[in-house]
Amino acid sequence: MSDENKLASKFDDWQRMRLDPTRCPVRNVLDHLSDKWTTLIVIALAGGPRRFGELNRSIPDISKRMLTQCLRNLERDGLITRHVFPTSPPSVEYRLADLGRSLLGPLGVLIEWAEASHQSVLDARLRFDGIPPST
């Protein structure tokens, strides 16, 4: 069965089961993972542990408040771990947990697709907006 048929079949199964959208496991997980910042944070941590300031510098357009909130959500979901070191002041380091590392494979495939399809998506947007794509 092709990937598109598998996905269509799974979607049809969910429809037949009349799954409560608020309890759907796919929506529940993807709501967090598809967040604007979550993917970037996971990618930043793929290279190894980072402190808060390092993460903030590596994603320059994220606010400290949003970074804090995203890190808490990722920790709550079991994707990252937070390690506090007894220094003065205490230093904190974030690392991918096993569950977070298991996300890297599927995320890598999605990133490869995004890189390969970026120009096609931009061209499609221009066509939709009635602007001829540049050649």
Side-chain angles (χ1 to χ4, degrees):
M1 184 182 285
S2 70
D3 287 343
E4 63 189 39
N5 287 340
K6 286 179 191 174
L7 289 174
S9 176
K10 188 170 284 293
F11 188 77
D12 289 343
D13 289 345
W14 296 335
Q15 297 295 309
R16 278 191 295 281
M17 292 187 304
R18 299 196 189 289
L19 282 180
D20 175 1
T22 62
R23 296 180 50 205
C24 175
V26 174
R27 283 187 184 189
N28 184 281
V29 171
L30 290 183
D31 278 350
H32 281 196
L33 297 182
S34 62
D35 169 270
K36 178 178 181 177
W37 304 112
T38 297
T39 301
L40 293 175
I41 294 169
V42 169
I43 293 167
L45 291 174
R50 290 189 185 226
R51 293 177 57 181
F52 184 91
E54 291 175 287
L55 285 168
N56 195 229
R57 285 187 298 278
S58 69
I59 308 170
D61 51 339
I62 190 171
S63 70
K64 289 181 180 182
R65 180 174 180 246
M66 183 56 67
L67 178 57
T68 299
Q69 183 179 341
C70 288
L71 288 169
R72 284 186 183 144
N73 286 337
L74 287 165
E75 184 180 9
R76 182 175 181 244
D77 288 347
L79 297 173
I80 67 169
T81 57
R82 181 177 182 267
H83 301 269
V84 180
F85 297 96
T87 57
S88 182
S91 58
V92 178
E93 186 177 81
Y94 297 91
R95 303 175 189 166
L96 286 178
D98 289 341
L99 189 59
R101 281 190 295 282
S102 74
L103 176 61
L104 295 177
L107 186 57
V109 172
L110 183 59
I111 289 167
E112 286 176 18
W113 177 88
E115 288 177 327
S117 304
H118 185 244
Q119 190 60 52
S120 297
V121 170
L122 294 178
D123 291 346
R125 289 176 184 168
L126 290 172
R127 280 191 304 278
F128 183 88
D129 294 342
I131 302 167
S134 59
T135 53

